[in-house]
Amino acid sequence: AQSVTQLDSHVSVSEGTPVLLRCNYSSSYSPSLFWYVQHPNKGLQLLLKYTSAATLVKGINGFEAEFKKSETSFHLTKPSAHMSDAAEYFCVVTPGVDYKLSFGAGTTVTVRA
Amino acid sequence: DAGVTQSPTHLIKTRGQHVTLRCSPISGHKSVSWYQQVLGQGPQFIFQYYEKEERGRGNFPDRFSARQFPNYSSELNVNALLLGDSALYLCASSQVRVGNEQFFGPGTRLTVL
C-alpha cells in the first residue's frame, strides 16, 4: 500500500520569498512521486515528477523537489513566490506496479503582496 | 492538441437518481482513470480503464461503474445517488498504463440535493 502525508494544510508567504511545501510518503515498492497544482476552477496540472532518476527534480514555473529515500520525503520548493502561485498543491505517490495515484490532502498556498 | 475533455461541466441531481459523466482522452491515449474529489480533500481513485478493460478499482461501492469505448472515451455511472456523492469528478488520461504522466480534465461538478 502507498500513502502520502502533506504536513501543512495551509502555507502563507510574501511575494518574492521562498516557498516550502512538505510531503512524506510511504510505499511498499520503489515509488514514483509527483506534485500537482490545482488553481481555482481549473484542472490538475503536473508540476514535476520523480521516477527513480535524479533525486533533485526540476519542474515548471521554477519549482523543484528533492527525493530523500532515507527520510521518505519529497518536499517542494520555489526560491521566490509569485502571486500566480496561489493555488492548491497535491503531493502524489504511485508504486511501480500499478497506476493508481494516491493523493495527499493538499496544501493551500496564499501569497501576500 | 485538445486536452482531456469532460461533460457536463456542472450537474445537479436529487438523491436516488443516477448520473452519467463523460470523458474524452487526449488523442492517442489508451488509459483513462476516474477520481472523486470531495471539497477540501485530495482526489480519490475510483477506476482505471486500459484498452477498454477495467484494470483497477478503488474503494467505492458497486453503485459506481464505468466503461471505456472503442475510441477510448469513457463514461462513469453512479446509481442511487447519495448526498455524499457531491464532488468534483476528474478524468485523467495517459499513453500507457504504468509510469507515464496522467493528464487531467477540468472535471464535472456534481451536486446532489
Side-chain angles (χ1 to χ4, degrees):
Chain A
Q2 66 279 347
S3 67
V4 165
T5 301
Q6 292 186 240
L7 300 174
D8 308 288
S9 60
H10 187 221
V11 169
S12 180
V13 298
S14 297
E15 190 174 22
T17 64
V19 181
L20 169 64
L21 306 183
R22 299 181 294 166
C23 172
N24 287 347
Y25 71 91
S26 67
S27 178
S28 303
Y29 303 92
S30 296
S32 294
L33 292 155
F34 309 81
W35 277 97
Y36 279 84
V37 62
Q38 187 175 38
H39 288 91
N41 300 315
K42 292 193 175 182
L44 289 158
Q45 181 184 20
L46 181 69
L47 283 177
L48 49 79
K49 63 179 178 180
Y50 166 78
T51 55
S52 75
T55 56
L56 183 61
V57 182
K58 294 188 182 298
I60 62 172
N61 300 335
F63 285 94
E64 65 179 36
E66 185 172 9
F67 173 73
K68 292 187 177 180
K69 186 175 181 179
S70 61
E71 299 176 10
T72 61
S73 68
F74 190 58
H75 300 336
L76 180 71
T77 60
K78 182 173 181 177
S80 177
H82 190 270
M83 296 298 289
S84 61
D85 295 327
E88 189 80 13
Y89 291 78
F90 293 99
C91 183
V92 181
V93 65
T94 182
V97 294
D98 69 39
Y99 204 27
K100 164 188 164 183
L101 298 184
S102 294
F103 284 76
T107 298
T108 303
V109 172
T110 302
V111 182
R112 304 184 303 272
Chain B
D1 285 339
V4 177
T5 59
Q6 293 185 244
S7 63
T9 304
H10 296 86
L11 203 53
I12 298 175
K13 294 286 189 177
T14 57
R15 283 178 295 176
Q17 287 188 312
H18 70 272
V19 67
T20 298
L21 311 181
R22 296 177 176 82
C23 171
S24 292
I26 293 171
S27 178
H29 286 192
K30 298 181 179 180
S31 176
V32 171
S33 297
W34 287 94
Y35 293 83
Q36 180 196 63
Q37 186 178 16
V38 173
L39 195 63
Q41 298 180 19
Q44 298 293 315
F45 172 78
I46 309 175
F47 286 111
Q48 185 208 6
Y49 276 77
Y50 178 66
E51 287 282 17
K52 301 178 287 294
E53 292 188 8
E54 181 183 309
R55 300 290 181 156
R57 183 185 182 110
N59 187 25
F60 281 81
D62 292 343
R63 298 184 296 106
F64 288 77
S65 64
R67 55 180 176 168
Q68 187 177 32
F69 299 99
N71 67 353
Y72 302 108
S73 67
S74 177
E75 284 183 354
L76 175 70
N77 295 284
V78 187
N79 293 325
L81 285 167
L82 303 174
L83 296 179
D85 295 331
S86 296
L88 180 67
Y89 289 84
L90 297 164
C91 172
S93 77
S94 64
Q95 287 183 310
V96 295
R97 182 184 166 206
V98 176
N100 273 20
E101 174 186 351
Q102 292 190 26
F103 293 82
F104 284 82
T108 294
R109 174 71 63 187
L110 172 64
T111 301
V112 182
L113 302 176

